[in-house]
Amino acid sequence: MKQSVDREVKRRDEKFVAKTETKIWLEACCEDNPYIAENVYCHGYDILDLMENCNVIEVVFLLYKGELPSLEQREIFEKLFIGLINPGPRHAATRAAMNVGVGKTHPVHLLPIASMVMGGEKAAGEVEAAMRFFRKSYRKPAAQVVAELSLHAGQDWQRPVPGFGQSYGGIDVLSAKLGCYLSGLPGAAEILNWGQEFSQLLAEKSAGWLSTGLAAAVFSDLGLHPKFAGPLYQLIAAPGLIAHGMEMYTKPLTAMPYVKDENYVVENRK
Amino acid sequence: MLSKTASKTVASLEAGRNCIKSRNGGWLPGEGVFVHGHRLLEDLVLNKSYMQIVVLNATGRLVSRELADWMEAILGCMSWPDPRIWCNQIGALAGETQATVSAATVAGTLAADSRAYGQGTLVKGVEFIKNALAKQQQGKTAVEITAEEIKSNRGKPNIMGFARPLAQGDERVAAMEKLTEKLGFKRGPHLQLAYDIEAELLAQFGESMNIAGYMSAFLADHNFSASEIYSVYAVSVMSGVMACHVEYADQPAHSFLPLRCDDINYTGTPVRSVKSI
């Protein structure tokens, strides 16, 4: 079959920048070697100044927002970190981490492997969608949004909107408790309070907050861009993933259940 | 606090404990390894190609050797060892830090799960050409379809499967066209429409079909869905990424594009003190 076009390839000569630009990090070089940094500054603050006067949550906030948080912002950000610091040993991402540990995979691969599992659209990937849901909905009364959802024939309450729904067919009780706690903090703001009311209204449908929705609400109130949501959620969960994965390193392959052959059904065998 | 879960939901979860049912297959010691009903070691390994097994795992269907060979050749088209390409640069950077070749290859391959290039473009590429064919079958011409897409992209030819970064034209398409002819495949309706759209884009913008567009249309004509194509080609760039890791892993530190402090242009807040707040 004859080619339909002459497949000549021409360079586009796109204009790429000469230097990468950043607003985040300044590296002042050593006097006698321009490749060695002597002083580094994060959004204008010397790293030594930050080490002396700030805690890690404040500096994480600074990295993302360009300014240090207020006391209320720091508190709610920190409490969210603690509340979501471990997805628990039954979460798919944690089970992946534990597989890494028990399987003696190189430990430096534990976190990226587990984080990639955590990155699914029904895990960290949902947080961005939840932030966008809040943007669209929070100006309406929560009751109105629930009523609109109820109008859909056969509404599935497992995941009526991103960040809210059912876990194992019922209310995610732990997330509900976390939502109640967080919304009682001084730093609780518009989105979180709206989400708390929305969650309580969903309770009659056996649904409510999910951890992804909680994160999305706090991130929204802190003014983070939705694109931050998934990676930041992965970061928050990282300590728990590491802990459970590393716990399995000292244990043999038999330390985790393996489905017996009689319980493994292969259909369509020839 | 109660979760208000229906008892039948809990019962359903209970029934699934410690049990796996698989349509894909698996290993039963003493019986064999099964892949979608086929015996892996007694049949597939002896009689089929690796690519046929990949496609079987991705789709549940066993394709012809010729089609599998065509599909394998696409992986060859993706095997560029140029470390400037963004996914490959991950491999080179991982080589610099002496991450393992597995880590480098997976990381670089994941980088190509992108909206701008790599396997990440395939789903929309397939969806586009399938939707376009549906429109054509409803009476619209290729010219009209192309015009609508250009209009929806604010006058720019940003149609998935056409044009590409860095260059106009795609030499990989020429290679695959030759293979298509060599293997005796006929031009199907999706591919014909892709050529018709290409003709319009060439006339107006000088842009042509890229490898993703060509393979999307070709495979759509062979009844592959977007998600199936994405599954088959999930790791399509791994060879080139691996090559870039191999090149830099055994070189001295900072061999890959060393950067001076002033090679980064800082445009942020001037130096300030925490205590000044």
Side-chain angles (χ1 to χ4, degrees):
Chain A
M1 184 180 295
K2 187 177 180 182
Q3 296 176 27
S4 63
V5 300
D6 176 18
R7 301 267 169 212
E8 183 183 12
V9 176
K10 299 177 181 177
R11 198 178 298 110
R12 285 187 190 279
D13 285 330
E14 292 153 315
K15 302 302 181 186
F16 289 90
V17 297
K19 293 184 179 182
T20 303
E21 181 180 304
T22 181
K23 291 184 167 65
I24 298 170
W25 199 261
L26 169 64
E27 294 180 331
C29 70
C30 186
E31 183 177 344
D32 61 344
N33 185 338
Y35 291 90
I36 296 177
E38 178 171 0
N39 295 297
V40 298
Y41 303 85
C42 179
H43 286 286
Y45 297 109
D46 190 301
I47 195 67
L48 296 174
D49 193 2
L50 294 171
M51 291 168 71
E52 183 174 354
N53 295 297
C54 297
N55 67 26
V56 66
I57 290 293
E58 290 175 309
V59 181
V60 168
F61 188 96
L62 173 67
L63 276 164
Y64 299 154
K65 292 285 293 175
E67 297 294 339
L68 291 167
S70 68
L71 290 177
E72 292 80 10
Q73 288 174 322
R74 183 188 75 183
E75 182 184 33
I76 200 160
F77 200 33
E78 187 170 46
K79 299 303 186 186
L80 179 73
F81 259 78
I82 296 172
L84 303 185
I85 199 165
N86 186 355
R90 295 178 304 129
H91 192 286
T94 313
R95 292 162 73 180
M98 295 166 80
N99 262 272
V100 166
V102 85
K104 309 300 182 282
T105 301
H106 199 307
V108 297
H109 299 164
L110 187 160
L111 185 56
I113 288 170
S115 289
M116 280 188 263
V117 175
M118 179 60 85
E121 290 303 312
K122 293 188 176 179
E126 185 180 41
V127 185
E128 178 180 347
M131 289 183 73
R132 297 188 189 282
F133 160 72
F134 283 128
R135 279 186 174 185
K136 290 193 299 184
S137 303
Y138 83 98
R139 292 183 184 84
K140 301 178 190 176
Q144 179 184 334
V145 177
V146 174
E148 289 170 355
L149 290 170
S150 299
L151 289 176
H152 295 302
Q155 172 66 41
D156 178 6
W157 296 101
Q158 286 191 44
R159 201 57 110 260
V161 294
F164 293 86
Q166 295 174 338
S167 177
Y168 295 102
I171 295 170
D172 185 342
V173 174
L174 177 59
S175 291
K177 290 183 176 181
L178 295 178
C180 186
Y181 174 83
L182 290 169
S183 62
L185 294 176
E190 192 168 26
I191 303 293
L192 181 57
N193 288 328
W194 186 94
Q196 177 66 7
E197 183 182 358
F198 184 69
S199 177
Q200 289 172 330
L201 290 168
L202 288 177
E204 68 179 74
K205 307 292 185 182
S206 301
W209 281 117
L210 300 173
S211 62
T212 48
L214 284 173
V218 172
F219 296 165
S220 296
D221 283 332
L222 292 174
L224 291 170
H225 190 280
K227 288 294 185 188
F228 270 101
L232 185 48
Y233 189 89
Q234 287 173 305
L235 174 67
I236 292 174
L241 300 176
I242 294 171
H244 281 292
M246 293 303 296
E247 182 182 42
M248 302 306 294
Y249 263 105
T250 58
K251 300 182 179 181
L253 282 171
T254 51
M256 291 177 66
Y258 186 90
V259 174
K260 297 182 187 300
D261 291 347
E262 53 265 36
N263 290 334
Y264 186 78
V265 179
V266 175
E267 300 173 348
N268 301 322
R269 273 182 289 170
K270 296 179 180 177
Chain B
M1 181 178 177
L2 297 176
S3 68
K4 300 186 179 181
T5 310
S7 58
K8 64 179 181 179
T9 302
V10 177
S12 174
L13 289 164
E14 289 287 298
R17 286 165 52 90
N18 295 312
C19 178
I20 298 173
K21 290 184 179 179
S22 175
R23 292 171 297 169
N24 290 343
W27 173 44
L28 297 173
E31 293 189 50
V33 181
F34 299 89
V35 181
H36 284 282
H38 299 271
R39 290 184 169 268
L40 178 67
L41 303 178
E42 294 84 355
D43 176 19
L44 298 176
V45 167
L46 294 174
N47 302 314
K48 307 298 179 184
S49 71
Y50 172 66
M51 197 65 191
Q52 284 177 295
I53 297 172
V54 168
V55 175
L56 180 61
N57 270 320
T59 69
R61 300 194 300 278
L62 195 58
V63 299
S64 70
R65 176 63 73 102
E66 289 77 15
L67 184 54
D69 287 350
W70 190 98
M71 296 177 77
E72 179 182 294
I74 290 288
L75 298 178
C77 292
M78 303 297 191
S79 299
W80 298 22
D82 187 333
R84 293 175 297 171
I85 299 170
W86 306 276
C87 54
N88 292 355
Q89 191 158 129
I90 303 294
L93 294 167
E96 173 152 314
T97 63
Q98 303 218 338
T100 69
V101 67
S102 289
T105 306
V106 171
T109 302
L110 192 59
D113 197 23
S114 161
R115 289 184 298 158
Y117 73 102
Q119 68 269 17
T121 65
L122 288 172
V123 170
K124 287 196 173 182
V126 179
E127 288 173 348
F128 165 75
I129 199 63
K130 282 178 178 263
N131 290 336
L133 184 62
K135 289 179 181 178
Q136 188 181 53
Q137 290 169 341
Q138 291 164 12
K140 291 192 173 179
T141 66
V143 172
E144 291 167 336
I145 293 167
T146 308
E148 284 178 4
E149 288 296 317
I150 292 169
K151 184 177 180 182
S152 71
N153 284 296
R154 302 177 184 176
K156 295 182 179 179
N158 295 335
I159 302 174
M160 198 61 73
F162 299 84
R164 67 191 276 217
L166 302 172
Q168 287 179 299
D170 194 333
E171 54 273 80
R172 298 168 291 186
V173 175
M176 292 307 300
E177 285 176 325
K178 291 175 182 174
L179 185 63
T180 298
E181 183 174 4
K182 177 182 176 184
L183 293 172
F185 289 109
K186 304 300 182 185
R187 187 181 291 188
H190 291 94
L191 189 52
Q192 180 58 57
L193 178 57
Y195 278 122
D196 294 339
I197 292 171
E198 177 180 58
E200 277 300 301
L201 292 175
L202 276 170
Q204 295 185 45
F205 300 96
E207 300 289 0
S208 60
M209 202 184 325
N210 63 38
I211 189 64
Y214 185 78
M215 64 187 284
S216 295
F218 180 96
L219 293 171
D221 282 332
H222 286 84
N223 300 314
F224 284 86
S225 70
S227 64
E228 288 173 337
I229 294 170
Y230 187 37
S231 294
V232 170
Y233 291 103
V235 295
S236 59
V237 301
M238 68 177 180
S239 175
V241 175
M242 175 268 293
C244 293
H245 175 274
V246 167
E247 178 165 20
Y248 286 96
D250 62 353
Q251 294 192 25
H254 308 302
S255 295
F256 182 71
L257 293 176
L259 295 179
R260 294 162 51 116
C261 294
D262 59 6
D263 284 330
I264 302 294
N265 190 19
Y266 178 73
T267 59
T269 307
V271 173
R272 52 180 168 169
S273 168
V274 173
K275 291 184 176 178
S276 68
I277 298 176

